Amino acid sequence: MPSIESFNSDRSSGELSRRDSRRLGGTALNATKKFSEMTKEERNAFFDSIARGSNETTPHGPRTSENSRNSERIRNTKEKAKRNSSLKEFIARATVGAVAVGMLAGAWVYAKNNEKNANSSAPTPKLELGDFFQAPETPNEYEAYNLGIYDGYNEPGMFTSENKTSSVAFADAGEVAEICNNDECEMIECEMIKYTAHNQVESFADYMANLPEQLQPEGFKGLSLKETEAKLESLSDEEFTLVENQFRNIIDSAFTRRVVKNGTFHNAFMRHKGGDFIHENMELVHCTTNESNLEVTEFYWVDQNGNEIGTMDVKIIPVRDKDGNIIGFKGCEQVINPYGEIYVMLPDIPPEPENPTPAPGDPDPTKIPVDPTKNPDPTKIPVNPTENPTPLATKNPEEEKRHAGDRVDTRELNEEITPATDIKQDQKNFKAIEQQKQEDASRKAEANRVASDQAEKEKKAAAEAEAKRKAKKEASERKAAEEKAAEAERQRKADEAAKKAQSEAEAAQRAAAEAERQAAAEREAREKAQAEANARAEASRQEAESRADATAQERADMFGNGDF
Amino acid sequence: MDSYLTDRETLGKFVDELLAKKFPGRDSAELTDLREENIKQLDDEIGDAIFGALSREQLEEFNAILDSGEENQDVFRNFFSNAGLDLESKISETLKSFSMRFLEGKGVENA
C-alpha cells in the first residue's frame, strides 16, 4: 500500500488525483473536490482512508452509512467498557506495559529523531554516508545531479588506476548542509565536510595544494595545483596510498569551524567544455568570485603550543536550476583562497575565458540566461584570456583536458564569473598581480629545489612527524573525550529510561497487588457466602432430619413398633 | 468511576514526555489544558484501536459480555485472545502513531 508520504505531491497540488479518488471511492467526498476546499473532517477522512487502505471503500460507491454505524457501535462499546472496572483495569495493565516498554526503547518520544536530536544538547549522532546520499528522483534533480556533480570516476582521466578511484559519493557534505541548515547542525556539517574531504579524489590535488605548507606531505610542498596533480598521477598505487594516508591524517588532525567570508577569492572549478559529460570534456579553470557573507568551513591546525599554524577554507557550491535558483547543495566542495594571498597555488590553471562557447547540443549551463540583476556587483573581477593568453605551465592541451578537480555546478560558475565591463583598471591590476605571483611561484619553486638539502629535510620531517603525532594524539584524545561524553549521555538516558520503566513497573505491580487484593476479597466473600450457604443447607438438612425423626417417633408412638 | 477507558495517570506521563519534547522549556502550567486534551484524545484513540479491530460479530459478542455485568478479567483475557487481538501491541501501535503525529505537528498541539 502506498504510504501517505507518496501522496504529498498530490496534496500540494490542492486537487485529488485520480488515484486518490479511486481509493476514496467517493467516501464522503466528491472525487473532483479540491483538497483546499475540504472541511477539516473531510480532510481527516481523506487521510484516514488513504492510511487504512482501500479495503474500507468499494469501487461501487460509498460505505458511509455502514462506516457510520460501525463507529456508533464502537462508541457505544467504549462507553460500556468505561463502566466496567474490571475491563478498565485489564486495559490499564496493558497500557502500562506498552508505555513502559516504549519509553524504555525510546520509540515514541524520540520518534522524530533527526530534527529533535539536532535541537537537543545530546551528543551528535554518528552520521553515515547513506544517511545523506540520495539518488536523484525527479527530472529536475536528475538534471541538477548530472550537471552539478561531475561523475567521471570510470572515465579515463586523472586517476586511471582503479585503485585511485572510489565509488564513494563525495557530495555528502552538501547533503548535510541542505539538511542541517541551522546553527545547531553546524558542527555536524563541518565534521561531515572534513570526513568528505577524506574521500576526495577529483579534487584531491586541490586540497593537497592548498594545505598549509608546514603540513603538506614531503615532496608536495609549495607545488602548484597542476604540479600536485601531475605528481599524484605519477605515483605508483603503493606510493599513492602512502600519500593518501598522510593526507587523511592531516585532515583528521584539523579542527573545523564555520566562518563567514567577504571579499574576492580565487576558486578552482571543474568546467564542462561541451559535449558529453565525460572526463575529457571537463577542464579545471580558475576564476575569482566576489563573496558576500559566504559561509565556509574552515579547517585549521594548531601546533603543540596551541598556536594556529594554518587554515584552509572550503565552500560548498549549491546546485541551481535552469533559472539560476538554488535547488540544493549537492554541489562539490572546493577550496577557496583569498584573492592575492595564496595565488601561488593556482598559476598553472587556465584562466576563465570571457565567453565560453558551448558545443552544439551541449546542455552546458552557459546556455542558461543569467539575470544581470542577480549579480550586479561590478567589483567582480573577470579574467580575460585576451589579456592573459598564455597561462603558466599550460604545456599540453590534451593534458589540460585530463584535469581532475572539483565537481561543480557550472551554472553557478557561469553566473559568478559574469564579466563586468567597466573595470579595466582592475583587470590591469589583476594581470600585474597575477604575473607577480607567477614569478613568485617560479622563484619559490626554484628556491625549494635548491634549498632542499638532506639535513634540513630530515629536520623538517622530524618536526612534521612530531607535529603530526601530537596532532593525531590530540585528535585521538578529543575523539575519546567525545566518545566518553556520548557514552555518559547514553548511560544517563538509559538510566532515565530504566528509572521510568521501573516506576511504571512498580505502578503495574501496585495495580496488580491491588487487583490481587480485590480478587482475594472477592474470593473470600464468595467463600464466606458459600460457607453461609452450606451452613444454611446443613441447618435445613438437620431440621429436615429432625422433622423426619420426630415424625417417625410420632408414628412409632402412635402405632407402636408396627405390631398391630 | 472516571470517564477514561484506560489508566489516566499512565497516559498523563506519556503525554508529559511528548509535551516536554515538543515544547522544551515551557512551563507545565501553561500546558495544562493541552495536556488534558491530549490525554483524552489518546484514551479515545486507544479505545478506537481496540474495539475497531474487532469484527462486527466480535463486537456484538463483547457487548453481550459487558451487558451481562461480567467482572472476571479472565473472561476478557480469553475473549481478546480468541479474537486474535494482542492488546499491548495494539496499544503500543496507537501510542506510536499518536506520538509521531504529535511531534510532527498533526496532533492537538495549539499551545
Side-chain angles (χ1 to χ4, degrees):
Chain A
M1 185 179 74
S3 66
I4 278 186
E5 286 72 16
S6 67
F7 290 81
N8 280 344
S9 57
D10 297 324
R11 285 190 212 177
S12 61
S13 71
E15 189 162 355
L16 298 182
S17 68
R18 286 184 186 175
R19 177 177 54 176
D20 294 345
S21 299
R22 276 202 306 278
R23 293 174 66 80
L24 287 169
T27 305
L29 292 170
N30 183 326
T32 59
K33 194 170 188 177
K34 283 180 182 294
F35 183 74
S36 56
E37 293 170 355
M38 292 179 193
T39 63
K40 184 181 174 186
E41 289 71 24
E42 285 172 336
R43 290 182 186 195
N44 288 339
F46 169 59
F47 292 126
D48 286 347
S49 175
I50 291 171
R52 283 196 290 266
S54 58
N55 57 340
E56 292 188 4
T57 62
T58 78
H60 307 296
R63 295 174 60 181
T64 309
S65 56
E66 175 62 24
N67 289 342
S68 174
R69 279 196 295 275
N70 204 33
S71 298
E72 187 64 28
R73 285 191 204 101
I74 291 171
R75 191 161 45 247
N76 289 338
T77 305
K78 272 198 303 189
E79 291 311 313
K80 279 185 198 172
K82 286 177 185 174
R83 294 193 293 271
N84 188 312
S85 59
S86 183
L87 174 63
K88 284 180 64 163
E89 190 181 314
F90 182 66
I91 294 175
R93 280 190 198 183
T95 306
V96 168
V99 169
V101 170
M103 282 187 170
L104 196 59
W108 307 312
V109 173
Y110 308 108
K112 207 179 175 191
N113 203 22
N114 288 343
E115 179 184 333
K116 296 302 167 186
N117 274 346
N119 291 331
S120 75
S121 57
T124 305
K126 181 170 167 49
L127 300 172
E128 301 290 344
L129 283 177
D131 294 341
F132 303 103
F133 184 75
Q134 201 173 9
E137 290 176 359
T138 66
N140 276 349
E141 269 187 0
Y142 193 77
E143 185 166 6
Y145 185 82
N146 274 334
L147 293 176
I149 302 173
Y150 172 57
D151 179 11
Y153 307 131
N154 295 320
E155 300 294 337
M158 176 181 170
F159 298 135
T160 50
S161 165
E162 287 184 1
N163 293 332
K164 294 174 186 174
T165 64
S166 166
S167 59
V168 176
F170 294 158
D172 300 283
E175 301 281 349
V176 178
E178 191 167 28
I179 295 167
C180 301
N181 191 21
N182 57 55
D183 292 341
E184 288 81 3
C185 270
E186 180 179 317
M187 192 263 284
I188 301 176
E189 184 185 335
C190 288
E191 288 301 309
M192 193 67 192
I193 285 175
K194 197 168 107 176
Y195 175 75
T196 307
H198 259 191
N199 297 300
Q200 292 291 332
V201 171
E202 292 285 320
S203 55
F204 191 8
D206 193 17
Y207 277 80
M208 288 278 281
N210 284 290
L211 285 172
E213 188 170 338
Q214 304 93 307
L215 298 176
Q216 285 173 322
E218 199 58 46
F220 286 85
K221 292 183 187 298
L223 298 186
S224 70
L225 198 158
K226 187 159 180 63
E227 287 167 346
T228 303
E229 199 174 59
K231 176 126 187 160
L232 285 170
E233 281 192 89
S234 71
L235 297 177
S236 67
D237 286 352
E238 291 73 22
E239 290 169 329
F240 182 88
T241 303
L242 283 175
V243 172
E244 187 180 43
N245 286 339
Q246 285 184 51
F247 171 70
R248 289 184 174 184
N249 286 335
I250 292 166
I251 295 294
D252 262 345
S253 66
F255 296 89
T256 57
R257 61 193 169 203
R258 177 78 67 81
V259 297
V260 174
K261 293 287 184 184
N262 291 292
T264 306
F265 291 86
H266 294 296
N267 292 251
F269 291 94
M270 179 64 88
R271 193 177 61 161
H272 180 220
K273 295 188 295 184
D276 295 334
F277 280 90
I278 58 174
H279 209 100
E280 284 84 347
N281 291 333
M282 309 299 285
E283 65 177 353
L284 194 64
V285 295
H286 82 259
C287 72
T288 55
T289 55
N290 193 57
E291 308 286 6
S292 174
N293 292 323
L294 172 72
E295 287 188 338
V296 303
T297 292
E298 188 164 81
F299 292 30
Y300 65 102
W301 290 264
V302 296
D303 62 16
Q304 56 267 43
N305 300 319
N307 299 321
E308 197 169 297
I309 57 178
T311 64
M312 181 170 73
D313 295 328
V314 180
K315 80 171 184 179
I316 296 173
I317 300 176
V319 178
R320 294 169 188 268
D321 65 13
K322 286 184 176 178
D323 298 322
N325 302 310
I326 294 178
I327 58 173
F329 289 85
K330 287 181 180 174
C332 65
E333 298 170 27
Q334 83 181 77
V335 179
I336 60 169
N337 296 308
Y339 179 78
E341 285 184 21
I342 319 179
Y343 187 56
V344 65
M345 299 297 178
L346 303 166
D348 49 9
I349 304 172
E352 172 58 27
E354 186 175 13
N355 292 306
T357 305
D362 179 10
D364 189 278
T366 53
K367 291 178 180 176
I368 300 169
V370 179
D371 182 355
T373 60
K374 287 184 180 174
N375 191 20
D377 192 341
T379 62
K380 188 163 284 184
I381 299 173
V383 182
N384 188 339
T386 61
E387 291 188 24
N388 186 17
T390 313
L392 196 70
T394 304
K395 301 153 191 154
N396 181 351
E398 282 306 307
E399 197 174 40
E400 287 304 312
K401 294 179 184 176
R402 295 173 56 214
H403 263 300
D406 226 331
R407 294 165 294 165
V408 64
D409 181 355
T410 50
R411 285 161 294 186
E412 188 205 30
L413 167 61
N414 192 47
E415 184 173 337
E416 286 187 341
I417 59 171
T418 301
T421 56
D422 55 353
I423 51 172
K424 285 189 176 174
Q425 188 56 47
D426 283 341
Q427 288 179 359
K428 285 179 184 172
N429 293 341
F430 175 74
K431 185 183 172 189
I433 292 169
E434 189 179 53
Q435 285 173 341
Q436 180 63 46
K437 292 300 176 184
Q438 286 170 355
E439 289 167 12
D440 289 345
S442 299
R443 278 199 298 275
K444 184 169 182 172
E446 181 63 23
N448 278 343
R449 280 192 292 274
V450 173
S452 60
D453 67 273
Q454 192 60 32
E456 186 61 26
K457 268 187 182 175
E458 286 174 1
K459 190 179 172 185
K460 271 187 180 179
E464 283 168 8
E466 178 64 14
K468 204 181 299 175
R469 191 189 62 74
K470 292 207 175 213
K472 194 172 182 180
K473 188 182 170 192
E474 283 173 11
S476 171
E477 287 170 351
R478 193 170 67 248
K479 192 176 176 185
E482 286 169 1
E483 283 174 356
K484 193 175 174 185
E487 180 56 32
E489 183 62 15
R490 274 196 296 277
Q491 187 59 45
R492 189 190 66 71
K493 282 189 173 177
D495 290 346
E496 195 176 308
K499 207 179 289 179
K500 280 179 187 165
Q502 176 69 20
S503 167
E504 299 298 341
E506 285 172 3
Q509 276 182 348
R510 283 197 298 276
E514 176 61 19
E516 185 63 30
R517 191 191 61 72
Q518 285 184 0
E522 287 172 5
R523 198 163 50 243
E524 191 179 339
R526 277 199 301 274
E527 286 171 1
K528 189 176 174 186
Q530 186 63 45
E532 286 174 359
N534 290 343
R536 281 197 299 276
E538 179 62 21
S540 297
R541 190 187 57 77
Q542 287 177 359
E543 190 180 342
E545 283 179 357
S546 294
R547 274 202 301 272
D549 289 346
T551 304
Q553 188 59 46
E554 281 174 9
R555 281 181 182 166
D557 292 344
M558 195 177 295
F559 303 109
N561 290 329
D563 299 327
F564 293 98
Chain B
M1 193 173 294
D2 63 28
S3 61
Y4 292 87
L5 178 63
T6 183
D7 182 52
R8 186 180 173 286
E9 191 183 347
T10 304
L11 295 185
K13 286 181 181 174
F14 181 73
V15 168
D16 286 342
E17 289 280 346
L18 293 180
L19 289 171
K21 201 71 186 167
K22 181 87 176 178
F23 306 109
R26 290 282 288 271
D27 187 347
S28 59
E30 292 178 62
L31 303 172
T32 303
D33 291 345
L34 192 61
R35 180 179 190 271
E36 292 309 311
E37 277 182 62
N38 277 285
I39 292 173
K40 185 71 188 149
Q41 173 76 19
L42 185 53
D43 189 68
D44 275 346
E45 289 190 16
I46 289 173
D48 289 341
I50 293 171
F51 300 122
L54 300 176
S55 68
R56 182 176 170 180
E57 292 73 24
Q58 287 170 334
L59 207 55
E60 286 174 358
E61 186 186 342
F62 192 74
N63 273 309
I65 294 172
L66 290 176
D67 290 341
S68 73
E70 180 61 66
E71 290 284 345
N72 188 340
Q73 289 192 10
D74 285 341
V75 173
F76 298 122
R77 185 176 292 110
N78 289 337
F79 173 83
F80 287 120
S81 175
N82 292 335
L85 186 62
D86 181 343
L87 218 54
E88 196 166 311
S89 294
K90 183 57 72 178
I91 294 168
S92 182
E93 284 171 18
T94 309
L95 293 173
K96 187 175 181 179
S97 161
F98 185 90
S99 169
M100 292 182 78
R101 276 182 286 120
F102 184 88
L103 292 176
E104 287 171 3
K106 295 172 187 168
V108 181
E109 56 176 0
N110 298 319

